[in-house]
Amino acid sequence: MRDILPALNGWYTRRTPFGLATVVAVSRSTPRDPGAAMAVGPDDEVVGSVSGGCVEGAVFELAREVVATGEARLETFGYSDDDAFAVGLTCGGEITLLVRPVTPERDPSFGEVAESVAAGRPVTVATVIDGPAPRGAALAVWPDRVSGTLGTPGLDAAVTADARGELALGATGVRHYGAHGERREDDVAVFLHSFAPPPRMLVFGAIDYAAAVARIGDFLGYRVTVCDARPVFATAKRFPPGVEVVVDWPHRYLRGTDTDERTVVCVLTHDPKFDVPLLEEALRRPAAYIGAMGSRRTHDERAKRLAEAGVGDAETARLRSPVGLDLGARTPEEVAVSVAAEIVALRWGGSGAPLTATAGAIHPPS
């Protein structure tokens, strides 16, 4: 979608209707992931791809049809492995597509979304794909505002909250709701398409606790990197698949790595020669969370060393140390849950208290 948005925005700006097909779900082996898109515009011009060529002919006709009728369509293409090549879907998997007409009247926020994506500003587009809500209705959700509607205020409110959660993780997928946003019902299917890369989790210190933190970070949707200067510990086999493992001095690696307001930094080195230079670098750059493992005595000694290195009180106040919430955790896995709980609570302003001891909305507005 990112690749074809400039062409789509050109059609949109000229107020030329076009048909947009988006992959909203896949199963088994498929050529493209959810979010892949193809569009048919004026003079039957085609941009993008949804299957690498397998079903594009059928999608071309569907896109022209929805422009002519003004009605969005949800179509699934899938065949058994034995018949796939003969029919056209060579991978043997299954893809589900939402094909909808796009015009300024139907989707007044499309231009703003295209501009945000081009400028690198995060935005999630929520689109109804099935159920009693209007199919193809779109709601654009930014961190600080929304545009459009899915049909009811309750549905808009529930989807907005979830869209911001997905946006924080750069995640894309389908969510289900009741007609008025009820979370325990599944009448309405909504595709949440986030235009933001997954946030990074940087774990320093290749110890058993790091393996557990990396695993839960990967589960939460972070792009996880583990860094340690000791090659005997920093080996890929000690960590989950998909976790990047780097052998380097932690402060030197961080100095050459970009971070932003969503980045999580977990310092588990527990050694002054590693963690003091690392924290001196980390506390002076953007990050959502900076936590360091150690006892209260270790924290006091570390804070003293940081002050001697010129780190100010305001910078040190950003440090979550000792790391994690008070869960009584003992094992590496339990400590990882404690760290993850603190990261989530800090992201959304949670208190960390048991819900039985709190009152009011469980999911208050961000």
Side-chain angles (χ1 to χ4, degrees), residues 263-278:
T263 302
V264 166
V265 178
C266 296
V267 179
L268 312 180
T269 47
H270 210 279
D271 186 330
K273 71 175 178 289
F274 290 126
D275 58 19
V276 171
L278 170 60

Side-chain angles (χ1 to χ4, degrees), residues 272 275-276 279 283 292 295-313 315-317 319 321:
D275 58 19
V276 171
L279 287 170
L283 292 169
S295 66
R296 298 191 190 281
R297 179 178 177 181
T298 298
H299 170 73
D300 291 341
E301 293 177 352
R302 183 187 289 134
K304 181 180 178 181
R305 289 173 181 266
L306 288 170
E308 292 172 351
V311 179
D313 292 342
E315 294 166 329
T316 304
L319 179 61
S321 174

Side-chain angles (χ1 to χ4, degrees), residues 106-110 112-113 126 137-142 145-153 155-157 160:
R106 293 176 178 275
D107 195 344
S109 60
F110 188 91
E112 288 184 88
V113 169
L139 176 72
V141 180
W142 289 267
R145 62 191 176 93
V146 300
S147 178
T149 180
L150 303 181
T152 67
L155 183 58
D156 288 347
T160 295

Side-chain angles (χ1 to χ4, degrees), residues 167-170 196-200 222 260-264 287-289 347:
L167 186 58
L169 293 173
R200 299 200 65 183
Y222 287 91
D260 60 25
E261 289 74 12
R262 301 183 302 152
T263 302
V264 166
Y289 175 92
R347 178 194 295 159

Side-chain angles (χ1 to χ4, degrees), residues 42-290:
D43 300 320
D44 291 339
E45 181 181 354
V46 177
V47 294
S49 172
V50 291
S51 73
C54 300
V55 299
E56 266 67 6
V59 176
F60 174 81
E61 296 298 336
L62 279 171
R64 295 179 65 190
E65 180 181 324
V66 300
V67 170
T69 65
E71 300 293 331
R73 296 273 299 272
L74 187 70
E75 296 288 343
T76 297
F77 297 87
Y79 311 92
S80 70
D81 290 333
D82 291 339
D83 298 333
F85 187 79
V87 177
L89 196 60
T90 55
C91 59
E94 184 176 275
I95 60 173
T96 299
L97 305 173
L98 174 69
V99 189
R100 65 187 182 100
V102 178
T103 65
E105 293 74 25
R106 293 176 178 275
D107 195 344
S109 60
F110 188 91
E112 288 184 88
V113 169
E115 291 174 5
S116 293
V117 174
R121 295 189 296 268
V123 60
T124 292
V125 178
T127 311
V128 174
I129 62 175
D130 204 9
R135 178 174 289 161
L139 176 72
V141 180
W142 289 267
D144 58 350
R145 62 191 176 93
V146 300
S147 178
T149 180
L150 303 181
T152 67
L155 183 58
D156 288 347
V159 171
T160 295
D162 288 347
R164 286 187 173 137
E166 299 292 87
L167 186 58
L169 293 173
T172 288
V174 177
R175 292 288 190 97
H176 295 85
Y177 307 87
H180 297 281
E182 299 89 344
R183 295 181 180 277
R184 296 172 62 181
E185 300 181 18
D186 59 1
D187 299 327
V188 182
V190 179
F191 180 62
L192 302 180
H193 190 178
S194 296
F195 292 93
R200 299 200 65 183
M201 173 182 280
L202 306 176
V203 182
F204 294 96
I207 60 177
D208 289 344
Y209 291 96
V213 170
R215 189 175 302 113
I216 203 166
D218 181 65
F219 174 75
L220 290 175
Y222 287 91
R223 181 163 67 93
V224 182
T225 299
V226 176
C227 175
D228 197 303
R230 302 164 295 181
V232 67
F233 295 113
T235 60
K237 65 182 181 181
R238 300 188 65 215
F239 297 94
V243 171
E244 179 187 27
V245 180
V246 174
V247 179
D248 199 352
W249 278 82
H251 71 282
R252 183 168 61 192
Y253 173 75
L254 182 59
R255 191 174 297 149
T257 301
D258 291 333
T259 64
D260 60 25
E261 289 74 12
R262 301 183 302 152
T263 302
V264 166
V265 178
C266 296
V267 179
L268 312 180
T269 47
H270 210 279
D271 186 330
K273 71 175 178 289
F274 290 126
D275 58 19
V276 171
L278 170 60
L279 287 170
E280 185 180 353
E281 175 70 28
L283 292 169
R284 289 170 171 164
R285 57 168 54 226
Y289 175 92
I290 302 171

